[in-house]
């Protein structure tokens, strides 16, 4: 699922961009969710509160916070989102460079160029570091898989533990494990309540793991054979690499 934001104070433009994106998603079999904003301040506020986007289509000259100022704020929170400017003005080259804009499209929009940049952006996103995407309280989030130490389920809530914080989601651990496996991302299912990132295992024992953050996680009897096989595969890959 690709999360896309469109920000322009002209309703005609946001509608045009949204229609083109939906048509291209259908043509290229891309799952997406699209949010529309009519001023930069609202977009920035959403992102600062935790909403994450993969692509932002952003006008430059808008009422209130312009697109360059909005991008400067966004970059303090998200350095990876692809910002594509869609604007009638070409006099902001230096400022656009400063916020690492991905592409620049002038109005009126050339549909072939728009499609070319969309396809390029999707390919770029799919080759970026792998993210775990989740939803909590109707807000979408994403975390780099490499930043996740482990998932821990407790009743109906799953806690996502990183080095700096602990997040929540309602997804079941079995579903998370399946999603990771579908993307060939290895995590250790040590027992019913834990999925552990091999990267953070400091000491591996037959019946437990000690992580670099000091956590000690037990390994259930029925999972020890599978964990041992995965551990050997992981260590072997690391040595070969």
């Amino acid at each position: 699922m690709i999360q896309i934001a469109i920000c322009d104070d002209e309703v005609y433009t946001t509608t045009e961009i949204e229609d083109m994106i939906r048509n291209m998603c259908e043509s290229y079999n891309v799952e997406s969710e699209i949010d529309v904003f009519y001023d930069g301040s609202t977009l920035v506020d959403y992102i600062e509160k935790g909403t994450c986007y993969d692509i932002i289509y952003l006008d430059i000259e808008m009422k209130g916070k312009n697109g360059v100022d909005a991008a400067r704020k966004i970059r303090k929170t998200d350095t990876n989102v692809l910002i594509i400017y869609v604007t009638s003005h070409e006099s902001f080259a230096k400022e656009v460079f400063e916020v690492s804009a991905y592409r620049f499209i002038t109005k009126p929009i050339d549909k072939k160029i728009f499609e070319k940049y969309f396809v390029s952006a999707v390919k770029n996103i799919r080759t970026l570091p792998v993210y775990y995407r989740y939803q909590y309280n109707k807000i979408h989030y994403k975390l780099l898989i490499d930043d996740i130490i482990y998932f821990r389920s407790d009743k109906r809530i799953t806690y996502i533990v990183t080095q700096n914080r602990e997040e929540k989601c309602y997804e079941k651990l079995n579903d998370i494990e399946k999603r990771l496996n579908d993307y060939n991302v290895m995590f250790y299912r040590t027992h019913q309540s834990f999925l552990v990132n091999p990267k953070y295992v400091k000491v591996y024992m037959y019946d437990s793991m000690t992580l670099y953050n000091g956590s000690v996680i037990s390994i259930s009897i029925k999972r020890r054979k599978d964990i041992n096989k995965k551990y050997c595969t992981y260590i072997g890959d690391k040595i070969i690499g």
Side-chain angles (χ1 to χ4, degrees), residues 40-66:
S41 296
T42 306
L43 170 63
V44 169
D45 185 56
Y46 265 64
I47 291 172
E48 288 181 341
K49 288 180 178 177
T51 304
C52 295
Y53 295 104
D54 298 294
I55 306 172
I56 298 174
Y57 290 92
L58 185 61
D59 189 15
I60 289 182
E61 289 199 347
M62 296 182 287
K63 297 174 183 177
K65 189 182 293 295
N66 67 47

Side-chain angles (χ1 to χ4, degrees), residues 24-171:
M24 285 185 292
C25 286
E26 185 175 349
S27 297
Y28 291 99
N29 195 28
V30 175
E31 289 188 55
S32 68
E33 288 194 4
I34 303 169
D35 291 333
V36 176
F37 302 89
Y38 298 102
D39 65 88
S41 296
T42 306
L43 170 63
V44 169
D45 185 56
Y46 265 64
I47 291 172
E48 288 181 341
K49 288 180 178 177
T51 304
C52 295
Y53 295 104
D54 298 294
I55 306 172
I56 298 174
Y57 290 92
L58 185 61
D59 189 15
I60 289 182
E61 289 199 347
M62 296 182 287
K63 297 174 183 177
K65 189 182 293 295
N66 67 47
V68 174
D69 290 339
R72 288 189 179 118
K73 286 277 191 180
I74 291 166
R75 283 293 181 227
K76 292 180 180 179
T77 303
D78 190 337
T79 58
N80 293 314
V81 61
L82 302 181
I83 297 174
I84 299 178
Y85 279 111
V86 184
T87 182
S88 303
H89 305 276
E90 301 181 32
S91 58
F92 291 85
K94 183 176 179 237
E95 290 85 352
V96 168
F97 176 78
E98 287 175 358
V99 297
S100 302
Y102 180 69
R103 293 289 188 272
F104 191 97
I105 299 173
T106 56
K107 299 176 183 177
I109 298 171
D110 183 316
K111 292 186 178 181
K112 289 185 178 180
I113 291 176
F114 191 96
E115 181 175 2
K116 176 183 176 182
Y117 290 170
F118 176 79
V119 171
S120 174
V122 170
K123 288 181 179 178
N124 189 296
I125 290 162
R126 287 174 172 171
T127 57
L128 285 173
V130 178
Y131 288 99
Y132 173 68
R133 302 168 189 274
Y134 62 102
Q135 186 174 340
Y136 187 71
N137 288 338
K138 298 182 179 180
I139 299 176
H140 293 277
Y141 300 92
K142 65 179 180 181
L143 287 171
L144 280 169
I145 293 291
D146 277 353
D147 289 345
I148 298 172
I149 300 175
Y150 59 80
F151 297 89
R152 174 176 60 85
S153 67
D154 184 4
K155 298 178 181 177
R156 296 180 59 188
I157 296 177
T158 294
Y159 296 87
I160 309 165
V161 178
T162 72
Q163 296 186 60
N164 303 316
R165 62 190 190 276
E166 186 174 276
E167 304 289 350
K168 298 177 183 178
C169 71
Y170 290 120
E171 192 170 10

